[in-house]
Amino acid sequence: ARIRSLVGFDYSIPNPFVANATTIDDLWMTAKQLQPRLQRTFKDERPRLMLSNVKKPVKPRSLLGEGDNGLNLKGDATIWMVTNKITLIKNANYKRFQEPFRPPGAFKSMRDLSIRDGHLFLLEYVEEHPLLLSNQGMGLRLLSFYRKQNEEDDVWKDLRVEKVESPRDGSWGKYGRVIPLENSDDPPFLGDVMKGQHQLGVDCNLFRAPAFYHPVQSTDFLLVRSNLGRWMIREFSSNIVVGQQEPRVKTPWPGSVQIREFEETRFQDYVFRSLRKKIKDQAAGSDVLPELLVQDLKYLFPNNSEQLIRNRLRGLCNCVPVNQTQADGRWSLKPGARIPEEVELRHRLTPEMVCAYESMRSSQERYAAMGIKRHELLRVSNERLKLATELLPDGEEAKEAARFIEQMIQVASWAMITNYLDVMKEGRGTFNVSGLGDPSGRGRCVSFVKAPARGGEKESKKPNIIAGTKTDLRRLSMKKAEQILKTLGVQEDEIKLLTRWNRINLIQRLSTAA
């Protein structure tokens, strides 16, 4: 028999214990004794237990066997845990109120990452489908950028929250760490920060984005559901709205070489970590054998065939079959083979790489639900897609469907991130700015879809340079751009009013005219 919840918990009760139980209540008490998590979570209460083929909850004294009053449970029967009771987590933000610890002292174990207690900041993204999302345990910096009005301006030092006496003060997350910007500093976002103004933002290795602080109201609470199905309600410390993301890492395209290399590395890392743990347990006196079953790996990596798993075990993981006939599917490390250290494994497969891969998979699954399932179609360039749409035979419905597919592929996460990095980091092409690809749908954000090249010319991959020199405009700082504009005859007062991109644009026009 199996005890399951609607949100991920799944535990199979060993058959000998099932055979000794006569009622549903006996089965539940047995599961609690075998599973400490059930004992801790449902110490003073019991959830409703239901069967898949019975609409009403099962009574505690219901018999498991056959007969008029029996449930006639056969084989691997599944019993579902359902609860609608909501528990209030009192003083979740503070047991004895104190300021939050900073990493790494803040998180010493996985339990410290639980949202059941401690300070909790909620981030609400304006994008329906953010290009990149962090995973559990990954850090994020809260920053405020202040543009100084002059050299003596020190107003930014006052942008800080005084000591907060309780979470209800509603000031957590208002400023974060304040970073002063000189007039020569580049804007932190696509939009500039004006003199004497400050802009909140979030920053991590995946992306940077503007943010907007919202005070927490006394009527705001967060509803939490554990994977055992238990409902809880708690207060939280701060609420922050995150604007449009400006990505920093590239997302691989479906079916690309990078995807294959990532999946191979992930498979290797799992095998090496599993074998290292079993070898360590065996050395500590446990009767665990340092072996892996092909069937278990097939369950964990369902997209891989058993033959592919065997090939990767032999070719990538330095493993050999325990039985040369490979009949039982047991594999172990080759004699004399070395398992890489944990530092090496973490270096070659970073958390950011995992997030980029999951971003691609998320878009891919969303498109598969729409009916766009062919991977090779997702890698077609915009020019080829447009040409294919125009060459379709007459028929408005077919062309409308083709235009829809073309638009969906243009706004895929891998395409949008590639466009952003091409334009902002490499200076190739320009954005459409508005229209298709604007995540707000109303002109509040920037479309990262590339604008078509002017005059039908192909986009140049050569960097823009100043005429007669080898200076790359993309790499000019604010101060360097000011020096070049002075040599081109622009007054200093006029230069100080220009942002970095306006200065670069003016340099390009003046140097070309000269």
Side-chain angles (χ1 to χ4, degrees):
R2 300 167 65 193
I3 301 289
R4 300 186 65 183
S5 73
L6 300 176
V7 281
F9 180 79
D10 189 350
Y11 174 66
S12 294
I13 304 174
N15 288 331
F17 293 94
V18 177
N20 293 332
T22 57
T23 65
I24 282 288
D25 202 36
D26 294 340
L27 204 61
W28 171 249
M29 295 304 295
T30 300
K32 286 181 64 175
Q33 292 174 5
L34 297 174
Q35 274 289 303
R37 287 190 61 204
L38 291 177
Q39 180 68 32
R40 290 193 303 267
T41 305
F42 299 104
K43 184 178 181 180
D44 301 322
E45 59 179 299
R46 199 197 79 168
R48 292 182 297 170
L49 302 178
M50 303 186 67
L51 298 174
S52 300
N53 57 345
V54 180
K55 295 182 179 179
K56 296 181 180 179
V58 180
K59 295 181 179 179
R61 293 299 177 184
S62 299
L63 299 176
L64 301 177
E66 300 180 358
D68 295 338
N69 298 323
L71 297 174
N72 299 322
L73 296 184
K74 297 180 180 180
D76 192 14
T78 300
I79 301 172
W80 296 90
M81 298 184 300
V82 181
T83 178
N84 56 4
K85 180 181 178 181
I86 299 177
T87 304
L88 173 64
I89 305 176
K90 297 181 180 179
N91 298 336
N93 285 345
Y94 58 100
K95 293 180 180 177
R96 185 183 65 186
F97 185 74
Q98 56 187 4
E99 293 189 10
F101 292 110
R102 294 182 178 180
F107 311 116
K108 297 181 180 179
S109 65
M110 286 294 293
R111 183 172 177 79
D112 294 332
L113 295 174
S114 170
I115 61 175
R116 295 186 184 184
D117 55 23
H119 296 277
L120 179 65
F121 283 39
L122 292 186
L123 302 182
E124 299 184 53
Y125 291 84
V126 298
E127 298 169 278
E128 182 180 3
H129 302 293
L131 297 177
L132 295 161
L133 285 176
S134 301
N135 278 323
Q136 186 181 21
M138 297 179 66
L140 184 142
R141 294 175 290 273
L142 191 63
L143 307 173
S144 283
F145 297 91
Y146 176 81
R147 178 76 70 181
K148 295 171 65 174
Q149 300 186 57
N150 49 53
E151 294 292 335
E152 293 75 26
D153 188 356
D154 60 355
V155 175
W156 62 275
K157 295 181 180 179
D158 299 327
L159 299 178
R160 56 190 177 88
V161 176
E162 299 296 333
K163 185 171 182 177
V164 180
E165 297 298 332
S166 77
R168 287 301 174 200
D169 288 357
S171 300
W172 288 103
K174 194 171 183 179
Y175 299 113
R177 177 191 172 195
V178 181
I179 298 178
L181 299 175
E182 304 291 343
N183 290 335
S184 58
D185 291 335
D186 295 341
F189 310 108
L190 284 174
D192 199 2
V193 180
M194 305 306 293
K195 291 183 179 180
Q197 301 294 324
H198 66 89
Q199 175 60 54
L200 186 66
V202 292
D203 181 84
C204 63
N205 293 339
L206 292 171
F207 62 87
R208 176 180 282 182
F212 306 89
Y213 165 79
H214 287 255
V216 178
Q217 304 298 321
S218 60
T219 54
D220 291 343
F221 291 88
L222 179 68
L223 189 62
V224 181
R225 183 171 68 171
S226 72
N227 66 346
L228 289 174
R230 188 184 179 194
W231 292 95
M232 294 159 282
I233 192 170
R234 62 156 292 173
E235 57 190 358
F236 52 93
S237 305
S238 185
N239 186 26
I240 298 169
V241 175
V242 181
Q244 186 176 14
Q245 293 182 347
E246 299 178 21
R248 288 177 167 173
V249 297
K250 183 171 284 190
T251 300
W253 290 61
S256 63
V257 176
Q258 291 83 357
I259 291 295
R260 178 176 57 81
E261 292 176 348
F262 174 87
E263 293 177 346
E264 288 179 350
T265 305
R266 185 180 61 168
F267 181 87
Q268 280 181 292
D269 287 4
Y270 176 81
V271 170
F272 287 143
R273 286 191 174 105
S274 299
L275 288 174
R276 181 194 292 126
K277 184 178 185 304
K278 291 188 176 185
I279 292 173
K280 185 178 179 180
D281 291 344
Q282 188 183 48
S286 175
D287 57 354
V288 176
L289 294 176
E291 299 172 355
L292 295 175
L293 288 174
V294 172
Q295 293 83 352
D296 294 342
L297 294 173
K298 180 70 172 67
Y299 176 78
L300 295 170
F301 300 91
N303 294 331
N304 297 343
S305 65
E306 290 191 6
Q307 185 58 48
L308 179 59
I309 290 175
R310 291 190 184 95
N311 292 341
R312 287 182 172 177
L313 285 171
R314 180 181 286 107
L316 300 177
C317 305
N318 295 324
C319 291
V320 292
V322 176
N323 184 350
Q324 292 302 321
T325 61
Q326 302 184 26
D328 53 5
R330 293 184 297 139
W331 288 68
S332 63
L333 196 65
K334 186 187 299 183
R338 170 183 171 271
I339 296 179
E341 297 295 331
E342 183 64 24
V343 175
E344 299 177 57
L345 298 181
R346 293 188 180 190
H347 179 72
R348 67 180 188 175
L349 192 64
T350 64
E352 290 76 20
M353 294 168 63
V354 175
C355 293
Y357 174 82
E358 290 177 350
S359 171
M360 181 278 299
R361 291 288 296 161
S362 176
S363 291
Q364 198 175 16
E365 291 299 322
R366 229 172 22 249
Y367 287 178
M370 298 179 188
I372 307 174
K373 300 180 180 181
R374 294 176 56 184
H375 293 183
E376 64 273 15
L377 181 61
L378 300 176
R379 299 195 300 270
V380 177
S381 64
N382 294 341
E383 291 76 13
R384 291 183 63 186
L385 274 174
K386 189 173 182 180
L387 178 61
T389 303
E390 294 174 352
L391 294 177
L392 282 173
D394 294 337
E396 190 59 32
E397 291 186 3
K399 290 193 174 183
E400 189 67 27
R403 280 192 289 268
F404 172 76
I405 294 174
E406 177 188 352
Q407 292 176 356
M408 288 298 99
I409 294 176
Q410 284 182 306
V411 298
S413 63
W414 53 82
M416 299 282 273
I417 292 175
T418 300
N419 291 344
Y420 177 86
L421 296 177
D422 282 350
V423 174
M424 299 303 297
K425 304 299 182 184
E426 301 180 18
R428 295 196 283 117
T430 57
F431 295 138
N432 269 342
V433 179
S434 61
L436 176 68
D438 175 7
S440 70
R442 57 184 66 184
R444 301 288 179 86
C445 298
V446 177
S447 169
F448 292 161
V449 175
K450 278 190 179 181
R454 295 182 180 179
E457 296 180 359
K458 291 186 177 181
E459 177 187 318
S460 174
K461 294 188 178 182
K462 295 182 179 179
N464 294 324
I465 60 174
I466 303 174
T469 72
K470 293 184 179 181
T471 304
D472 189 350
L473 291 178
R474 299 170 302 173
R475 306 185 184 280
L476 285 180
S477 63
M478 290 278 284
K479 190 172 183 180
K480 184 66 176 177
E482 180 181 356
Q483 295 174 357
I484 295 175
L485 285 172
K486 287 180 179 179
T487 61
L488 294 173
V490 183
Q491 297 297 321
E492 183 177 354
D493 295 340
E494 297 179 14
I495 297 174
K496 290 187 178 297
L497 298 175
L498 301 176
T499 64
R500 177 174 176 268
W501 286 107
N502 288 336
R503 294 182 184 188
I504 291 174
N505 188 31
L506 183 58
I507 291 173
Q508 188 176 14
R509 287 191 283 113
L510 293 176
S511 61
T512 305

